[in-house]
Structures are given as C-alpha cells and as structure tokens.
Amino acid sequence: HSKPHQLSHGEKKRVALAQAFLGNYDLLLLDEPTSGLDPIQSKRVRKIIQAYGKTHTVIITSHNLAEIRDVCDEILLIKRGKLLKHAPLKEFVSAADTITLDLQYPLEDLSILLSKHPPDAFYITYGFNHQELVISNRRGGKMDSNDLSQVVQYFNQAHISYHGIRIGKNFEETCLDLL
C-alpha cells in the first residue's frame, strides 16, 4: 500500500482514471488520458474509454492524434480557442485525392527517379521527411483502384522499396492540413 505521493506519474494517472470511471458519470471529461503511460497501459486505457463511451458521453482533449483516431468517433479540431472542424472521424479520413507510399528508405533525390522513370499519369512529390511520396493524378479528382495499380506497377518497375501504401489522407495528415 503506497501513499499517493509515493506513486509514479503513471500510477497516479491510472488511479485518477479509475476514480473517474468508477463514478459512472453520464459525461466524462478526460485531459490527455494516456500521457505518461507506457504503450501497454495506453492501449488498455483506450479500450476502457471506448467501452465506456458506448453508454456514456466522453470528451477527450489530447495532442496525441493517434489516440484520438483510435478512440473517438466524433472530432472537434480546435486551434487557439477557434473551432476549425467538427465532424465524424470518417470525414477526416475520406479524402482520396492522393496515394501515399511509405518508403522503406528515404528517397534523397526525387528528380533522379523522375528523370529515369518519368510517370505518365501522375505527379509525385515528397511527403513527410522524404520517407513518403505523395502521388496525385494528372487529370485531377479522386484516385481509384486503377490509379493504385498504376502506382504500384510504376514503383515496382523503378525498384523503389516501400512498406505501406494508402489511398487518401490519413487522420493525422488531414488534421495537420487544417492547422
């Protein structure tokens, strides 16, 4: 039995969360609920929040976009007290105007790739930290499965190693674009 002042930050956080959930409140406000927790405890807390949120209203404030994406189904994006967007999570991830390749290794010089293998149907730009390539089609509009096939074929022929590919922007990219 430890006294409260003897607990670590993570232990204090877990005690505070347990107290909040035991109250069985109709509305629960949680500020950065997983900050300071190790990854295993964070995952457990997110599952508890999800389960609690099925029968109660839970409002979470967090800078951890992965946490918000994993737990919330309704998002209010606020910057300096101003509401930027209020929508269901699916509206933050539904844009499909790009395809993003998560590269196995950073691509230092995109111009070399483009000069050796000029793409016919799409534009290629750098994404995050040269670890991603963002592809959009030349005709404009949404990307589809045919575009995805062309992109995969192009990068396989160019011998560019990648470990992930997605159509559209992910939650974090959409939020960062709005901020």
Side-chain angles (χ1 to χ4, degrees):
H1 299 279
S2 298
K3 295 183 180 184
H5 68 277
Q6 295 173 322
L7 298 174
S8 70
H9 174 76
E11 291 168 328
K12 288 177 185 175
K13 176 73 86 167
R14 289 195 306 270
V15 169
L17 287 168
Q19 288 175 326
F21 289 115
L22 287 173
N24 199 29
Y25 301 106
D26 292 333
L27 172 64
L28 185 60
L29 303 172
L30 299 174
D31 182 28
E32 304 277 354
T34 62
S35 70
L37 299 180
D38 65 55
I40 293 170
Q41 290 297 323
S42 293
K43 185 175 181 178
R44 287 180 184 155
V45 167
R46 284 194 294 272
K47 285 184 177 186
I48 292 168
I49 293 169
Q50 286 173 318
Y52 194 84
K54 290 180 181 181
T55 57
H56 301 78
T57 301
V58 180
I59 297 175
I60 298 173
T61 62
S62 182
H63 293 90
N64 183 340
L65 296 177
E67 175 179 80
I68 297 298
R69 180 200 60 224
D70 292 347
V71 174
C72 301
D73 53 8
E74 185 90 11
I75 310 293
L76 284 85
L77 187 62
I78 299 170
K79 181 180 181 181
R80 295 189 179 134
K82 182 180 176 193
L83 180 64
L84 301 177
K85 184 171 183 165
H86 174 200
L89 174 64
K90 64 183 178 184
E91 288 187 26
F92 279 82
V93 294
S94 63
D97 53 352
T98 61
I99 293 175
T100 303
L101 238 62
D102 298 318
L103 300 174
Q104 194 73 32
Y105 308 102
L107 185 63
E108 296 303 326
D109 194 347
L110 183 58
S111 63
I112 293 172
L113 169 69
L114 297 176
S115 66
K116 288 182 181 178
H117 306 279
D120 295 330
F122 43 87
Y123 299 106
I124 304 171
T125 58
Y126 281 119
F128 177 73
N129 205 20
H130 294 212
Q131 290 275 143
E132 295 178 340
L133 292 178
V134 179
I135 299 101
S136 55
N137 61 37
R138 291 187 185 271
R139 67 182 189 282
K142 303 293 183 194
M143 301 290 273
D144 59 26
S145 58
N146 185 46
D147 295 313
L148 180 61
S149 297
Q150 288 180 3
V151 167
V152 168
Q153 182 179 5
Y154 172 84
F155 284 98
N156 287 343
Q157 288 174 351
H159 304 289
I160 301 295
S161 299
Y162 55 92
H163 60 85
I165 189 167
R166 63 186 178 278
I167 296 179
K169 294 181 181 179
N170 64 27
F171 175 67
E172 289 85 356
E173 291 167 328
T174 301
C175 288
L176 292 173
D177 285 349
L178 293 168
L179 295 172

